[in-house]
Amino acid sequence: MPIEKRTTTCVMDCPDACALEVTVEDGRVTAIGAGNSHPDVAGFICSKVSQFHRRLYHQDRVLHPQRRVGAKGEARFERVSWDDAIAEITERFERIRSES
């Protein structure tokens, strides 16, 4: 597969919305650089985003919802379905809303 350069916009929670140029090789992101299409930050991105491709495929990345099964801090979790995770979160928010 050829090396592709794709342009996009950063989605991190800051006001800049930096332009990005993403290098994709064999369907995997291999580098993230600054794009030039943003007039205020052209040619610049933060170090957090520039290194994001390293976290994208890291072996410790959480890919599925998990529920804590031990005491907080024990790092014991079980995998749950997306439907179960969303239902549990919804239930917690509804309980908080009714109590507050």
Side-chain angles (χ1 to χ4, degrees):
M1 269 185 138
I3 296 174
E4 299 176 56
K5 298 280 186 174
R6 299 182 185 173
T7 57
T8 189
T9 303
C10 182
V11 296
M12 296 306 241
D13 190 21
C14 76
D16 296 330
C18 297
L20 302 177
E21 184 175 272
V22 179
T23 304
V24 179
E25 298 180 45
D26 296 324
R28 292 175 63 98
V29 175
T30 57
I32 301 174
N36 291 314
S37 62
H38 190 293
D40 295 328
V41 293
F44 172 83
I45 59 170
C46 66
S47 60
K48 175 171 54 177
V49 173
S50 69
Q51 301 303 310
F52 189 78
H53 66 285
R54 294 180 180 176
R55 293 187 296 279
L56 188 59
Y57 304 109
H58 194 276
Q59 65 185 14
D60 293 336
R61 181 174 176 210
V62 177
L63 300 175
H64 308 281
Q66 298 181 20
R67 176 187 298 121
R68 187 176 62 234
V69 294
K72 192 168 186 174
E74 288 183 13
R76 292 182 31 221
F77 300 89
E78 66 181 1
R79 184 173 169 178
V80 296
S81 72
W82 282 104
D83 288 341
D84 287 346
I86 291 168
E88 185 172 327
I89 292 166
T90 301
E91 179 184 315
R92 288 183 185 187
F93 276 134
E94 288 173 350
R95 187 173 52 235
I96 291 166
R97 184 174 46 185
S98 70
E99 292 171 357
S100 299

